[in-house]
Amino acid sequence: MHRDAVMMAGRSEDDGDTSILTATKPKTKRPPLYKVLLLNDDFTPMEFVVHVLERFFGLNHAQAFEIMLTVHKKGVAVVGVFSHEIAETKVAQVMDFARRHQHPLQCTMEKED
Ligand code: TYC
């Protein structure tokens, strides 16, 4: 005879539980990422924007010039993707640096989908 049938016949272990077992996957949620955006304006000098991108985003001159031109032509560009804390720091650094040099350059952050 099958062992389960033997066990049930003797009622040695079946406690009559009819509950549904719901398996739960252990969720390791990674923190959300944030895009840092640079906005175009008519007054901030191109060289200043290139300098900002080199200084605060670790881009080389060619990469910085390319992104500056994208912002100049399209109005906005993503300059990097970071954790919330790092993105906030980058935005604050750019905004403070622009303000100190009296340029209207705007930098913002936006949660990634
Ligand atoms: N449009 C500016 C100019 O013609 C250059 C510029 C580029 C300004 C990018 C801001 O985020 C910017 N001087």
Side-chain angles (χ1 to χ4, degrees):
M1 202 191 296
H2 192 273
R3 61 167 291 279
D4 289 346
V6 172
M7 249 177 8
M8 291 315 100
R11 285 265 161 237
S12 54
E13 292 202 24
D14 186 0
D15 65 356
D17 188 351
T18 58
S19 54
I20 297 163
L21 301 176
T22 54
T24 54
K25 181 152 15 65
K27 278 236 170 53
T28 56
K29 295 232 300 179
R30 15 189 205 82
L33 292 174
Y34 291 78
K35 298 182 280 195
V36 171
L37 310 170
L38 204 59
L39 278 57
N40 188 40
D41 66 73
D42 294 338
F43 306 102
T44 305
M46 289 185 172
E47 317 80 66
F48 183 82
V49 177
V50 171
H51 179 71
V52 161
L53 292 171
E54 291 172 341
R55 181 169 178 148
F56 298 115
F57 296 92
L59 303 180
N60 66 38
H61 193 78
Q63 295 168 327
F65 198 91
E66 194 173 301
I67 291 183
M68 179 281 295
L69 264 193
T70 300
V71 178
H72 176 70
K73 290 189 225 173
K74 302 199 163 199
V76 62
V78 175
V79 303
V81 177
F82 308 96
S83 69
H84 187 272
E85 187 175 351
I86 300 291
E88 263 192 342
T89 301
K90 302 281 181 195
V91 169
Q93 286 173 330
V94 172
M95 293 300 283
D96 185 59
F97 192 63
R99 185 191 52 74
R100 273 158 41 214
H101 289 84
Q102 300 186 296
H103 293 311
L105 182 64
Q106 294 292 303
C107 184
T108 61
M109 61 192 272
E110 178 179 292
K111 194 170 178 215
E112 249 197 357
D113 336 274

